[in-house]
Amino acid sequence: MKITSKCDVYSFGVVLLELLTGRLPVQSVELGGDLVSWVKNSISSETELKHIFDSRLQVNNNIVLAEMVTVLKIALLCTNMLPLERPSMHDVVGMLEGVKNSLNPRQTLENRLSRLELQIAHSQIPTT
């Protein structure tokens, strides 16, 4: 097996799953075996998502739960079995920053406005 940046992305996804679930990356078969398989099996068996998350985390708040689900989705992208289907680490950072920015709707709006201003500034406006 050749070690690539996609291997690093996979490992980072496992770390995210460890943080979200409070479980070790490798467990006994009785406890579900490897963490990635346990999470995927739990999702496919339609286990309520809040039961996948570490019981020590506050998941009663809908905003926190939505953000945790988003991070879970990012972790699942990172742990895709096909390396070519995994995002780059740069993309992962961007996705996580999006989750962080969703904590402050005002900041998100300001970021969008700043990007829009940049797009307008760089667009070619016809002159007369």
Side-chain angles (χ1 to χ4, degrees):
M1 177 172 115
K2 182 179 176 186
I3 304 298
T4 66
S5 62
K6 297 295 184 168
C7 294
D8 292 339
V9 170
Y10 185 91
S11 297
F12 185 75
V14 172
V15 170
L16 288 178
L17 291 176
E18 287 180 78
L19 292 170
L20 291 168
T21 65
R23 290 174 165 254
L24 296 171
V26 180
Q27 303 172 78
S28 67
V29 176
E30 295 82 31
L31 293 175
D34 73 281
L35 182 57
V36 175
S37 296
W38 179 82
V39 169
K40 289 179 180 180
N41 290 337
S42 296
I43 291 171
S44 66
S45 69
E46 298 182 18
T47 299
E48 212 175 328
L49 285 179
K50 68 180 183 181
H51 296 297
I52 292 173
F53 298 125
D54 189 335
S55 60
R56 297 171 292 182
L57 299 174
Q58 178 190 4
V59 293
N60 295 330
N61 181 318
N62 286 337
I63 293 171
V64 172
L65 182 60
E67 291 165 352
M68 290 173 64
V69 168
T70 302
V71 174
L72 176 65
K73 290 177 182 179
I74 294 168
L76 291 172
L77 287 173
C78 292
T79 56
N80 191 313
M81 292 306 296
L82 299 172
L84 292 175
E85 297 292 322
R86 295 177 198 148
S88 69
M89 203 59 207
H90 181 268
D91 291 340
V92 172
V93 169
M95 289 184 271
L96 290 172
E97 285 177 342
V99 174
K100 179 185 77 166
N101 291 339
S102 72
L103 294 171
N104 182 346
R106 175 98 177 131
Q107 183 182 8
T108 302
L109 177 61
E110 289 170 2
N111 288 343
R112 288 181 185 163
L113 289 173
S114 294
R115 277 185 260 144
L116 181 60
E117 289 170 358
L118 283 173
Q119 289 173 348
I120 291 171
H122 289 95
S123 67
Q124 293 182 352
I125 301 172
T127 57
T128 56

